Amino acid sequence: QKEVEQNSGPLSVPEGAIASLNCTYSDRGSQSFFWYRQYSGKSPELIMFIYSNGDKEDGRFTAQLNKASQYVSLLIRDSQPSDSATYLCAVTGNSGYALNFGKGTSLLVTP
Amino acid sequence: NAGVTQTPKFQVLKTGQSMTLQCAQDMNHNSMYWYRQDPGMGLRLIYYSASEGTTDKGEVPNGYNVSRLNKREFSLRLESAAPSQTSVYFCASSRGQVSNQPQHFGDGTRLSIL
């Protein structure tokens, strides 16, 4: 079983701070990495994806990938209360179609 | 601009009843997926269809069947529902292999088996 590990949280950060969400994965063959945001009672919403080692920035979000350490992270700058949600890390499996999801990290941004 | 549409949104069944969950996408995507999400378990893949005419098992296929009716539609059937199948079911689609094409999710079906 390919594993994707995330701290369940809750991770609490004050408004305006940087939130750092982390994910490790067990399958060295994984090629693509995704971050989804899921509000309570809603469906997962794609935030970012990253394929290459290094950083990828999109607005307030930065994804960081280190394949050697099998580690992917999501940084949220200037965190807002509306960012309070569960963040799911997903990693491609062997078939190229399946995604292996972590159980998610709950983020709480306090005003 | 509907994206991925799932019906119904909520359903309550009795043990042993059958049910088909419907999913349709209007993004001309080739690949479609069914996941279930349970508290503390995360999202788990039930079945997927890489392209029209093909289906493959995911991590938790037992107790389910699927049909890729055409490029737009992918249904999930519970032949004899069991309480262990109480869950939130999500359908997703992608243009192709997720190695380079992200998946997009529907709003989910909340299913309770009594």
Side-chain angles (χ1 to χ4, degrees), chain B residues 49-74:
Chain B
S49 171
S51 60
E52 186 178 356
T54 69
T55 60
D56 285 284
K57 295 179 180 180
E59 179 185 353
V60 289
N62 291 343
Y64 304 95
N65 286 301
V66 291
S67 296
R68 182 73 183 268
L69 304 171
N70 48 56
K71 189 172 185 178
R72 290 186 63 248
E73 299 173 286
F74 188 38

Side-chain angles (χ1 to χ4, degrees), chain B residues 7-63:
Chain B
T7 56
K9 295 188 183 306
F10 302 93
Q11 185 70 46
V12 178
L13 294 177
K14 294 181 180 179
T15 297
Q17 287 185 317
S18 61
M19 169 87 191
T20 298
L21 307 185
Q22 306 287 353
C23 175
Q25 52 88 13
D26 62 3
M27 296 177 281
N28 200 34
H29 283 172
N30 292 305
S31 305
M32 299 184 73
Y33 314 81
W34 277 105
Y35 290 89
R36 60 178 290 174
Q37 187 174 36
D38 304 293
M41 296 297 294
L43 280 158
R44 293 181 292 171
L45 183 65
I46 305 171
Y47 271 95
Y48 68 96
S49 171
S51 60
E52 186 178 356
T54 69
T55 60
D56 285 284
K57 295 179 180 180
E59 179 185 353
V60 289
N62 291 343

Side-chain angles (χ1 to χ4, degrees), chain A residues 32 34 36 38 41 43 96-97, chain B residues 31 37 97-99 103 106 110:
Chain A
S32 306
F34 303 85
Y36 285 84
Q38 187 173 27
S43 61
Y97 291 94
Chain B
S31 305
Q37 187 174 36
Q97 286 190 327
V98 290
S99 54
Q103 293 181 4
R110 284 147 184 81

